[in-house]
């Protein structure tokens, strides 16, 4: 029997992060529109952040480092979202569709 | 001073609520056919994640998670959903291949989850002997302006470039009125 209370067990956080990563990869493989793939990518970002924060809480001698790392991940995710959505808007303007099956001009 | 009765159980229940919120939100985000529900699932997932960050002794990151993800990212995706029509196409074409690739994707993600879960759960994560700082907002501020000042400036530059690039990309191809 594990004596420590539930929020102080690192394996729960790591399992939730692994589950988020798995769901994100499943969505990334299954989605057929660009925006759906983008949302799944955000889930993968969240999994990485949660993993880093769990190690920061339970393993790191300096608890500031992980928080700053996750803060930078959030900033880069915001930048990525801005760029990706503008690309999606440009693609929609050219093709009238954001379905991945129809965007096959470079397919040859 | 006696502690509040059953406070440990209440904290555990709130923690479980956060975990369930995160997982259910992620499932909604990945599985629903309509994209607007998927965005709502992402928002729910991020609210649950903010709770988990709070339990990881970082209320600052919990605030930032809600502020950036729910407040900015989800709203921006909703704007893109309104401009494009990104609903999933109906799955009438080639049902056998769809089931095959879906099963394959499920297999890949299940294998990844099982491997990571096995690594994480059967390990002895011992706490470090000493803590250098207390991880408060004050300590984060000191670190951002001393040790990580270069990265801090670089990420502001990256955000600026991203804003200008997004404006430039979204502007091309627009016909003049």
């Amino acid at each position: 029997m594990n004596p420590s209370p539930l929020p102080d067990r690192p394996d729960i956080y790591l399992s939730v992060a692994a589950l988020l990563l798995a769901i994100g990869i499943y969505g990334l493989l299954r989605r057929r529109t660009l925006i759906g793939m983008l949302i799944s990518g955000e889930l993968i970002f969240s999994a990485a952040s949660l993993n880093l924060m769990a190690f920061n809480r339970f393993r790191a001698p300096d608890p500031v480092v992980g928080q700053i790392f996750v803060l930078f991940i959030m900033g880069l995710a915001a930048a990525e979202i801005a760029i990706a959505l503008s690309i999606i808007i440009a693609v929609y303007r050219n093709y009238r569709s954001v379905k991945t099956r129809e965007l096959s001009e470079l397919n040859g | 001073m006696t502690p509040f009765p059953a406070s440990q159980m209440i904290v555990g229940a709130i923690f479980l609520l956060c975990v369930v919120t995160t997982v259910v939100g992620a499932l909604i985000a990945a599985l629903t056919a309509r994209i607007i529900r998927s965005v709502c699932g992402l928002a729910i997932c991020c609210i649950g994640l903010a709770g988990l960050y709070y339990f990881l002794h970082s209320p600052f990151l919990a605030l930032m998670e809600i502020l950036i993800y729910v407040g900015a990212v989800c709203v921006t995706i909703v704007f893109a959903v309104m401009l494009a029509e990104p609903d999933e196409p109906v799955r009438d074409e080639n049902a056998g291949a769809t089931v095959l690739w879906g099963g394959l994707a499920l297999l890949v993600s299940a294998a990844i989850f099982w491997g990571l879960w096995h690594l994480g759960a059967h390990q002895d994560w011992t706490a470090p002997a000493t803590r250098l700082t207390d991880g408060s907002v004050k300590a984060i501020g000191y670190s951002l302006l001393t040790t990580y000042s270069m990265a801090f400036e670089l990420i502001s530059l990256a955000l600026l470039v991203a804003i200008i690039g997004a404006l430039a990309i979204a502007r091309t191809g627009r016909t003049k009125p």
Side-chain angles (χ1 to χ4, degrees):
Chain A
M1 194 65 202
N2 204 329
S4 61
L6 219 49
D8 289 337
R9 287 175 53 188
D11 50 346
I12 294 181
Y13 297 100
L14 296 179
S15 302
V16 172
L19 196 60
L20 277 183
L21 175 67
I23 293 172
I25 287 178
Y26 178 76
L28 203 59
L29 291 174
R30 285 293 287 152
R31 282 285 181 200
R32 301 174 182 196
T33 60
L34 292 178
I35 295 182
M37 292 171 75
L38 192 66
I39 291 172
S40 299
E42 285 307 303
L43 287 180
I44 295 177
F45 265 123
S46 306
S49 306
L50 184 60
N51 220 339
L52 284 170
M53 275 304 292
F55 284 124
N56 177 52
R57 159 86 170 78
F58 293 106
R59 291 286 294 165
D62 187 358
V64 162
V65 180
Q67 301 188 38
I68 290 176
F69 208 106
V70 172
L71 207 59
F72 285 167
I73 289 180
M74 283 180 192
L76 286 181
E80 177 242 351
I81 282 286
I83 293 283
L85 284 180
S86 69
I87 289 176
I88 287 171
I89 296 298
V91 163
Y92 182 74
R93 198 176 285 142
N94 283 330
Y95 289 86
R96 289 287 138 201
S97 161
V98 289
K99 300 180 178 65
T100 47
R101 188 164 296 240
E102 296 170 15
L103 307 177
S104 56
E105 196 162 288
L106 288 179
N107 206 359
Chain B
M1 178 181 167
T2 57
F4 190 72
S7 62
Q8 204 72 39
M9 274 179 63
I10 295 174
V11 170
I14 294 175
F15 177 72
L16 281 183
L17 183 70
C18 289
V19 169
V20 168
T21 309
T22 309
V23 173
V24 168
L27 284 175
I28 293 174
L31 296 181
T32 50
R34 304 196 53 105
I35 289 292
I36 192 73
R37 290 179 195 162
S38 186
V39 180
C40 293
L42 184 65
I44 293 170
C45 175
C46 289
I47 290 172
L49 263 181
L52 286 184
Y53 285 155
Y54 196 85
F55 275 107
L56 285 169
H57 294 193
S58 178
F60 176 63
L61 272 189
L63 178 69
M64 281 297 140
E65 176 84 18
I66 290 184
L67 206 68
I68 294 178
Y69 274 93
V70 184
V73 168
C74 287
V75 172
T76 319
I77 296 177
V78 166
F79 271 111
V81 170
M82 284 194 282
L83 289 176
E85 298 156 7
D87 275 342
E88 291 276 305
V90 280
R91 313 203 159 154
D92 52 355
E93 16 123 28
N94 211 348
T98 304
V99 170
L100 174 68
W101 289 112
L104 209 60
L106 195 64
L107 195 70
V108 167
S109 55
I112 288 172
F113 168 68
W114 186 81
L116 283 179
W117 173 79
H118 196 266
L119 273 181
H122 295 88
Q123 203 69 239
D124 189 22
W125 303 110
T126 51
T130 56
R131 299 268 180 185
L132 297 179
T133 56
D134 56 350
S136 60
V137 180
K138 194 176 171 187
I140 295 175
Y142 274 130
S143 292
L144 271 180
L145 291 181
T146 54
T147 315
Y148 303 100
S149 55
M150 183 70 191
F152 189 64
E153 298 298 330
L154 276 181
I155 204 163
S156 61
L157 201 64
L159 277 172
L160 179 69
V161 172
I163 292 169
I164 296 174
L167 285 177
I169 291 172
R171 194 179 169 278
T172 52
R174 209 162 66 182
T175 50
K176 287 213 169 66

